[in-house]
Amino acid sequence: MPHEVRAVVAVRKGGPVEVRTVVVPDPGPGEVLVDVQACGVCHTDLHYRDGAVTDDFPFLLGHEAAGTIAAVGPGVTGLDPGDYVVLAWRAPCGDCRSCRRGRPWYCFDSRNAAQPMTLADGAPLTSALGIGAFAEKTLVAAGQAVKVDPAARPEAAGLVGCGVMAGYGAAVNTGKVGRGDSVAVIGCGGVGNAAIAGACLNGAMKVIAVDIDDRKLDQAEKFGATHTVNSRGTDPVEAVRELTGGHGVDIAIDAVGRPETFLQAFSMRDHAGVLVLVGVPGPGTKVELPLVDVFSRGGAVKSSWYGDCLPSRDFPFLIDQYLYGLLDLNAFVSETITLDRVEEAFGRMRRGEVLRSVVVL
């Protein structure tokens, strides 16, 4: 029997989100129904609301979530009602050319629920990143629900599903930060601070946080940054080079995704250093580089897709690091809110007042 739940919907481009009644079907083959306990307010949700991703309105927002399995559909194995899960917006299919080559983190046919969730009048909803978790219940593909230790509080655990994983993975999986490396991270929001934490956990010797907001730089130090640079009044490339003996860093991570930050990250690397782009650029954004500089500086320029993660491997690991006291997920939670305060949370996020607002259901 379908379930009527309260959920946050973006009805029209740029308009304020609304709490609506949403109809969630029982799970079909390969699907699971999840009772959502907490869901973080991510910039990607705002991008959907503003029409910067697609124009397939209305959207059911929310994707950075933790909860418990309410029901499983036919053919689902390894998940049972009551299991505590973090939701992933990529679920490797196991059969595409990338999965068959042993690179499931690049899966080209990621799974989502086949059945749509709808408004009360039957109008189908587009689920943000295939999840739609600003809702009391949501329907996802079984592969999107990753079991983790139930000792983790949902407000913190859900953040692993997107922002924390993206930042941590950009440093560890994409950038391959290792013992003794020097790292610069541009942009110290949730993703950037997760990259800082990941770099520290993986043995980086020097981690330089770069931002234009002193409040964010203070937070970055709490996640392990050894040095900070306010780039509003200082050339960050020169500052980073000065902090690294004139050489630059081994890994530079752009967690902003703007042309100026990309060029800064490119230039603050040491020779043969790695640039990792994890901040999502806006549509139509372009960057221009002299090709001779790309050649002569060497190294690598990489995009990090979801932290190049394998959710079934990485989510439980990060939750364990949290429970062992090595990764402070609680520090990412700036506030907890109700469903009807998501629009307010978008405003605080735009103003840089929070790392994460988290909806608790």
Side-chain angles (χ1 to χ4, degrees), residues 211-221 228-232:
D211 204 287
I212 60 173
D213 188 332
D214 283 332
R215 295 172 301 174
K216 292 187 175 182
L217 293 172
D218 289 342
Q219 290 174 330
E221 290 182 322
T228 62
V229 173
N230 189 319
S231 56
R232 187 180 292 278

Side-chain angles (χ1 to χ4, degrees), residues 38-63:
C39 185
V41 181
C42 175
H43 273 89
T44 303
D45 295 306
L46 185 57
H47 292 329
Y48 273 100
R49 168 198 178 277
D50 290 345
V53 181
T54 73
D55 60 358
D56 295 330
F57 288 88
F59 291 111
L60 175 57
L61 299 182
H63 60 277

Side-chain angles (χ1 to χ4, degrees), residues 255-271:
V256 178
R258 295 177 60 86
E260 58 268 32
T261 55
F262 183 90
L263 291 172
Q264 289 165 0
F266 180 86
S267 299
M268 63 178 56
R269 299 173 303 148
D270 197 353
H271 285 292

Side-chain angles (χ1 to χ4, degrees), residues 240-312:
V240 167
R241 290 193 171 279
E242 183 176 343
L243 289 167
T244 53
H247 304 299
V249 291
D250 299 303
I251 300 99
I253 299 171
D254 178 5
V256 178
R258 295 177 60 86
E260 58 268 32
T261 55
F262 183 90
L263 291 172
Q264 289 165 0
F266 180 86
S267 299
M268 63 178 56
R269 299 173 303 148
D270 197 353
H271 285 292
V274 176
L275 188 168
V276 177
L277 174 65
V278 65
V280 181
T285 303
K286 295 182 180 180
V287 66
E288 184 174 318
L289 274 169
L291 195 57
V292 67
D293 288 351
V294 177
F295 173 80
S296 61
R297 295 191 62 80
V301 175
K302 299 181 176 183
S303 296
S304 185
W305 296 347
Y306 203 6
D308 290 341
C309 78
L310 185 58
S312 58

Side-chain angles (χ1 to χ4, degrees), residues 340-355:
D340 56 5
R341 293 181 59 203
V342 168
E343 186 65 32
E344 297 172 29
F346 283 150
R348 285 190 288 278
M349 184 169 60
R350 283 188 189 275
R351 295 189 295 271
E353 296 172 358
V354 293
L355 282 182

Side-chain angles (χ1 to χ4, degrees), residues 1-3 24-34 69-74 76 113 115 138-140 142:
M1 178 179 295
H3 308 265
V24 183
D26 278 328
E31 297 173 340
V32 296
L33 181 68
V34 178
I69 301 293
V72 301
V76 172
Q115 301 180 87
T138 192
L139 186 74
V140 296

Side-chain angles (χ1 to χ4, degrees), residues 7-10 22 58-62 117 125-128 131-135 138:
V8 174
V9 176
V22 167
F59 291 111
L60 175 57
L61 299 182
M117 292 177 275
L125 291 161
T126 303
S127 300
I131 293 178
F134 285 153
T138 192

